[in-house]
PDB file of all heavy atoms in Angstrom:
ATOM      1  N   GLU A 177       9.317  23.420   0.652  1.00 91.00           N
ATOM      2  CA  GLU A 177       9.499  22.281  -0.248  1.00 91.00           C
ATOM      3  C   GLU A 177       8.224  21.438  -0.319  1.00 91.00           C
ATOM      4  O   GLU A 177       7.845  20.976  -1.403  1.00 91.00           O
ATOM      5  CB  GLU A 177      10.679  21.422   0.221  1.00 91.00           C
ATOM      6  CG  GLU A 177      12.025  22.075  -0.011  1.00 91.00           C
ATOM      7  CD  GLU A 177      13.160  21.294   0.619  1.00 91.00           C
ATOM      8  OE1 GLU A 177      13.049  20.921   1.810  1.00 91.00           O
ATOM      9  OE2 GLU A 177      14.151  21.049  -0.097  1.00 91.00           O
ATOM     10  N   LEU A 178       7.554  21.240   0.818  1.00 89.00           N
ATOM     11  CA  LEU A 178       6.297  20.496   0.806  1.00 89.00           C
ATOM     12  C   LEU A 178       5.280  21.191  -0.106  1.00 89.00           C
ATOM     13  O   LEU A 178       4.600  20.531  -0.895  1.00 89.00           O
ATOM     14  CB  LEU A 178       5.730  20.368   2.218  1.00 89.00           C
ATOM     15  CG  LEU A 178       6.446  19.429   3.170  1.00 89.00           C
ATOM     16  CD1 LEU A 178       5.872  19.534   4.575  1.00 89.00           C
ATOM     17  CD2 LEU A 178       6.353  17.997   2.678  1.00 89.00           C
ATOM     18  N   GLN A 179       5.183  22.486   0.021  1.00 90.00           N
ATOM     19  CA  GLN A 179       4.261  23.240  -0.829  1.00 90.00           C
ATOM     20  C   GLN A 179       4.635  23.110  -2.302  1.00 90.00           C
ATOM     21  O   GLN A 179       3.769  22.952  -3.162  1.00 90.00           O
ATOM     22  CB  GLN A 179       4.229  24.709  -0.414  1.00 90.00           C
ATOM     23  CG  GLN A 179       3.577  24.936   0.928  1.00 90.00           C
ATOM     24  CD  GLN A 179       3.702  26.366   1.402  1.00 90.00           C
ATOM     25  OE1 GLN A 179       4.302  27.221   0.749  1.00 90.00           O
ATOM     26  NE2 GLN A 179       3.126  26.637   2.572  1.00 90.00           N
ATOM     27  N   ARG A 180       5.940  23.165  -2.592  1.00 91.00           N
ATOM     28  CA  ARG A 180       6.393  23.032  -3.979  1.00 91.00           C
ATOM     29  C   ARG A 180       6.074  21.634  -4.514  1.00 91.00           C
ATOM     30  O   ARG A 180       5.634  21.488  -5.655  1.00 91.00           O
ATOM     31  CB  ARG A 180       7.888  23.337  -4.097  1.00 91.00           C
ATOM     32  CG  ARG A 180       8.355  23.360  -5.556  1.00 91.00           C
ATOM     33  CD  ARG A 180       9.798  23.787  -5.729  1.00 91.00           C
ATOM     34  NE  ARG A 180      10.716  22.810  -5.155  1.00 91.00           N
ATOM     35  CZ  ARG A 180      11.503  23.015  -4.102  1.00 91.00           C
ATOM     36  NH1 ARG A 180      11.502  24.180  -3.500  1.00 91.00           N
ATOM     37  NH2 ARG A 180      12.295  22.066  -3.650  1.00 91.00           N
ATOM     38  N   TYR A 181       6.307  20.589  -3.706  1.00 89.00           N
ATOM     39  CA  TYR A 181       5.995  19.213  -4.142  1.00 89.00           C
ATOM     40  C   TYR A 181       4.516  19.087  -4.510  1.00 89.00           C
ATOM     41  O   TYR A 181       4.170  18.430  -5.494  1.00 89.00           O
ATOM     42  CB  TYR A 181       6.323  18.202  -3.055  1.00 89.00           C
ATOM     43  CG  TYR A 181       7.788  18.063  -2.716  1.00 89.00           C
ATOM     44  CD1 TYR A 181       8.173  17.563  -1.488  1.00 89.00           C
ATOM     45  CD2 TYR A 181       8.799  18.435  -3.609  1.00 89.00           C
ATOM     46  CE1 TYR A 181       9.514  17.419  -1.148  1.00 89.00           C
ATOM     47  CE2 TYR A 181      10.135  18.313  -3.285  1.00 89.00           C
ATOM     48  CZ  TYR A 181      10.487  17.797  -2.048  1.00 89.00           C
ATOM     49  OH  TYR A 181      11.801  17.671  -1.721  1.00 89.00           O
ATOM     50  N   CYS A 182       3.651  19.711  -3.722  1.00 88.00           N
ATOM     51  CA  CYS A 182       2.222  19.650  -4.031  1.00 88.00           C
ATOM     52  C   CYS A 182       1.883  20.508  -5.247  1.00 88.00           C
ATOM     53  O   CYS A 182       1.087  20.101  -6.091  1.00 88.00           O
ATOM     54  CB  CYS A 182       1.398  20.089  -2.818  1.00 88.00           C
ATOM     55  SG  CYS A 182       1.488  18.932  -1.452  1.00 88.00           S
ATOM     56  N   ARG A 183       2.492  21.677  -5.353  1.00 88.00           N
ATOM     57  CA  ARG A 183       2.216  22.590  -6.466  1.00 88.00           C
ATOM     58  C   ARG A 183       2.680  22.002  -7.790  1.00 88.00           C
ATOM     59  O   ARG A 183       2.019  22.146  -8.819  1.00 88.00           O
ATOM     60  CB  ARG A 183       2.882  23.947  -6.204  1.00 88.00           C
ATOM     61  CG  ARG A 183       2.464  25.038  -7.140  1.00 88.00           C
ATOM     62  CD  ARG A 183       3.069  26.399  -6.782  1.00 88.00           C
ATOM     63  NE  ARG A 183       4.525  26.362  -6.659  1.00 88.00           N
ATOM     64  CZ  ARG A 183       5.200  26.477  -5.507  1.00 88.00           C
ATOM     65  NH1 ARG A 183       4.565  26.653  -4.374  1.00 88.00           N
ATOM     66  NH2 ARG A 183       6.525  26.428  -5.503  1.00 88.00           N
ATOM     67  N   THR A 184       3.827  21.305  -7.775  1.00 89.00           N
ATOM     68  CA  THR A 184       4.354  20.724  -9.009  1.00 89.00           C
ATOM     69  C   THR A 184       3.779  19.338  -9.277  1.00 89.00           C
ATOM     70  O   THR A 184       4.199  18.662 -10.203  1.00 89.00           O
ATOM     71  CB  THR A 184       5.888  20.633  -8.955  1.00 89.00           C
ATOM     72  OG1 THR A 184       6.268  19.795  -7.865  1.00 89.00           O
ATOM     73  CG2 THR A 184       6.516  22.009  -8.836  1.00 89.00           C
ATOM     74  N   ARG A 185       2.836  18.943  -8.448  1.00 83.00           N
ATOM     75  CA  ARG A 185       2.069  17.703  -8.605  1.00 83.00           C
ATOM     76  C   ARG A 185       2.886  16.432  -8.387  1.00 83.00           C
ATOM     77  O   ARG A 185       2.503  15.361  -8.823  1.00 83.00           O
ATOM     78  CB  ARG A 185       1.343  17.690  -9.942  1.00 83.00           C
ATOM     79  CG  ARG A 185       0.419  18.893 -10.098  1.00 83.00           C
ATOM     80  CD  ARG A 185      -0.365  18.910 -11.382  1.00 83.00           C
ATOM     81  NE  ARG A 185      -1.172  17.754 -11.617  1.00 83.00           N
ATOM     82  CZ  ARG A 185      -2.401  17.552 -11.136  1.00 83.00           C
ATOM     83  NH1 ARG A 185      -2.940  18.445 -10.365  1.00 83.00           N
ATOM     84  NH2 ARG A 185      -3.067  16.460 -11.442  1.00 83.00           N
ATOM     85  N   GLY A 186       3.975  16.526  -7.677  1.00 91.00           N
ATOM     86  CA  GLY A 186       4.732  15.329  -7.309  1.00 91.00           C
ATOM     87  C   GLY A 186       4.097  14.628  -6.123  1.00 91.00           C
ATOM     88  O   GLY A 186       4.091  13.409  -6.028  1.00 91.00           O
ATOM     89  N   TRP A 187       3.541  15.432  -5.220  1.00 92.00           N
ATOM     90  CA  TRP A 187       2.841  14.896  -4.054  1.00 92.00           C
ATOM     91  C   TRP A 187       1.399  15.357  -4.080  1.00 92.00           C
ATOM     92  O   TRP A 187       1.069  16.383  -4.677  1.00 92.00           O
ATOM     93  CB  TRP A 187       3.483  15.391  -2.762  1.00 92.00           C
ATOM     94  CG  TRP A 187       4.750  14.673  -2.387  1.00 92.00           C
ATOM     95  CD1 TRP A 187       5.508  13.844  -3.161  1.00 92.00           C
ATOM     96  CD2 TRP A 187       5.417  14.743  -1.131  1.00 92.00           C
ATOM     97  NE1 TRP A 187       6.593  13.409  -2.463  1.00 92.00           N
ATOM     98  CE2 TRP A 187       6.563  13.939  -1.211  1.00 92.00           C
ATOM     99  CE3 TRP A 187       5.165  15.411   0.055  1.00 92.00           C
ATOM    100  CZ2 TRP A 187       7.443  13.781  -0.141  1.00 92.00           C
ATOM    101  CZ3 TRP A 187       6.036  15.266   1.114  1.00 92.00           C
ATOM    102  CH2 TRP A 187       7.159  14.451   1.016  1.00 92.00           C
ATOM    103  N   ARG A 188       0.570  14.613  -3.397  1.00 92.00           N
ATOM    104  CA  ARG A 188      -0.838  14.990  -3.242  1.00 92.00           C
ATOM    105  C   ARG A 188      -1.122  15.163  -1.759  1.00 92.00           C
ATOM    106  O   ARG A 188      -0.791  14.311  -0.953  1.00 92.00           O
ATOM    107  CB  ARG A 188      -1.762  13.913  -3.810  1.00 92.00           C
ATOM    108  CG  ARG A 188      -3.218  14.318  -3.755  1.00 92.00           C
ATOM    109  CD  ARG A 188      -4.116  13.197  -4.255  1.00 92.00           C
ATOM    110  NE  ARG A 188      -5.472  13.611  -4.465  1.00 92.00           N
ATOM    111  CZ  ARG A 188      -6.360  13.821  -3.499  1.00 92.00           C
ATOM    112  NH1 ARG A 188      -6.020  13.698  -2.250  1.00 92.00           N
ATOM    113  NH2 ARG A 188      -7.592  14.165  -3.796  1.00 92.00           N
ATOM    114  N   ARG A 189      -1.742  16.277  -1.412  1.00 91.00           N
ATOM    115  CA  ARG A 189      -2.136  16.526  -0.031  1.00 91.00           C
ATOM    116  C   ARG A 189      -3.464  15.802   0.221  1.00 91.00           C
ATOM    117  O   ARG A 189      -4.454  16.073  -0.445  1.00 91.00           O
ATOM    118  CB  ARG A 189      -2.299  18.018   0.217  1.00 91.00           C
ATOM    119  CG  ARG A 189      -2.607  18.387   1.656  1.00 91.00           C
ATOM    120  CD  ARG A 189      -2.879  19.882   1.837  1.00 91.00           C
ATOM    121  NE  ARG A 189      -2.128  20.751   0.965  1.00 91.00           N
ATOM    122  CZ  ARG A 189      -0.928  21.275   1.241  1.00 91.00           C
ATOM    123  NH1 ARG A 189      -0.345  21.017   2.381  1.00 91.00           N
ATOM    124  NH2 ARG A 189      -0.331  22.074   0.368  1.00 91.00           N
ATOM    125  N   LEU A 190      -3.463  14.842   1.144  1.00 91.00           N
ATOM    126  CA  LEU A 190      -4.676  14.104   1.479  1.00 91.00           C
ATOM    127  C   LEU A 190      -5.564  14.909   2.410  1.00 91.00           C
ATOM    128  O   LEU A 190      -6.791  14.874   2.302  1.00 91.00           O
ATOM    129  CB  LEU A 190      -4.329  12.779   2.152  1.00 91.00           C
ATOM    130  CG  LEU A 190      -3.500  11.808   1.316  1.00 91.00           C
ATOM    131  CD1 LEU A 190      -3.103  10.601   2.139  1.00 91.00           C
ATOM    132  CD2 LEU A 190      -4.273  11.389   0.071  1.00 91.00           C
ATOM    133  N   ARG A 191      -4.933  15.579   3.346  1.00 88.00           N
ATOM    134  CA  ARG A 191      -5.558  16.460   4.320  1.00 88.00           C
ATOM    135  C   ARG A 191      -4.420  17.305   4.857  1.00 88.00           C
ATOM    136  O   ARG A 191      -3.267  16.981   4.605  1.00 88.00           O
ATOM    137  CB  ARG A 191      -6.259  15.683   5.431  1.00 88.00           C
ATOM    138  CG  ARG A 191      -5.357  14.704   6.163  1.00 88.00           C
ATOM    139  CD  ARG A 191      -5.850  14.303   7.530  1.00 88.00           C
ATOM    140  NE  ARG A 191      -6.107  15.387   8.423  1.00 88.00           N
ATOM    141  CZ  ARG A 191      -5.170  16.059   9.103  1.00 88.00           C
ATOM    142  NH1 ARG A 191      -3.905  15.761   8.958  1.00 88.00           N
ATOM    143  NH2 ARG A 191      -5.504  17.030   9.913  1.00 88.00           N
ATOM    144  N   PRO A 192      -4.670  18.363   5.568  1.00 88.00           N
ATOM    145  CA  PRO A 192      -3.547  19.153   6.075  1.00 88.00           C
ATOM    146  C   PRO A 192      -2.567  18.287   6.877  1.00 88.00           C
ATOM    147  O   PRO A 192      -2.951  17.556   7.785  1.00 88.00           O
ATOM    148  CB  PRO A 192      -4.228  20.201   6.967  1.00 88.00           C
ATOM    149  CG  PRO A 192      -5.584  20.365   6.345  1.00 88.00           C
ATOM    150  CD  PRO A 192      -5.965  18.989   5.875  1.00 88.00           C
ATOM    151  N   GLY A 193      -1.318  18.344   6.463  1.00 89.00           N
ATOM    152  CA  GLY A 193      -0.271  17.623   7.178  1.00 89.00           C
ATOM    153  C   GLY A 193      -0.064  16.184   6.769  1.00 89.00           C
ATOM    154  O   GLY A 193       0.764  15.475   7.352  1.00 89.00           O
ATOM    155  N   ARG A 194      -0.753  15.675   5.745  1.00 91.00           N
ATOM    156  CA  ARG A 194      -0.604  14.290   5.288  1.00 91.00           C
ATOM    157  C   ARG A 194      -0.503  14.289   3.768  1.00 91.00           C
ATOM    158  O   ARG A 194      -1.344  14.862   3.070  1.00 91.00           O
ATOM    159  CB  ARG A 194      -1.784  13.419   5.715  1.00 91.00           C
ATOM    160  CG  ARG A 194      -1.992  13.283   7.217  1.00 91.00           C
ATOM    161  CD  ARG A 194      -0.854  12.517   7.870  1.00 91.00           C
ATOM    162  NE  ARG A 194      -1.099  12.240   9.266  1.00 91.00           N
ATOM    163  CZ  ARG A 194      -0.795  13.056  10.266  1.00 91.00           C
ATOM    164  NH1 ARG A 194      -0.279  14.227  10.007  1.00 91.00           N
ATOM    165  NH2 ARG A 194      -1.014  12.711  11.515  1.00 91.00           N
ATOM    166  N   PHE A 195       0.546  13.622   3.254  1.00 92.00           N
ATOM    167  CA  PHE A 195       0.850  13.644   1.824  1.00 92.00           C
ATOM    168  C   PHE A 195       1.150  12.240   1.316  1.00 92.00           C
ATOM    169  O   PHE A 195       1.569  11.372   2.076  1.00 92.00           O
ATOM    170  CB  PHE A 195       2.089  14.513   1.563  1.00 92.00           C
ATOM    171  CG  PHE A 195       2.015  15.876   2.180  1.00 92.00           C
ATOM    172  CD1 PHE A 195       2.491  16.088   3.465  1.00 92.00           C
ATOM    173  CD2 PHE A 195       1.468  16.936   1.490  1.00 92.00           C
ATOM    174  CE1 PHE A 195       2.432  17.345   4.055  1.00 92.00           C
ATOM    175  CE2 PHE A 195       1.408  18.202   2.068  1.00 92.00           C
ATOM    176  CZ  PHE A 195       1.886  18.399   3.356  1.00 92.00           C
TER     177      PHE A 195
END
Side-chain angles (χ1 to χ4, degrees):
E177 288 173 311
L178 288 173
Q179 291 173 359
R180 186 175 66 246
Y181 294 157
C182 292
R183 191 176 54 250
T184 61
R185 303 182 57 84
W187 282 14
R188 184 183 191 284
R189 184 185 327 270
L190 299 174
R191 56 159 305 281
R194 298 293 187 273
F195 309 90

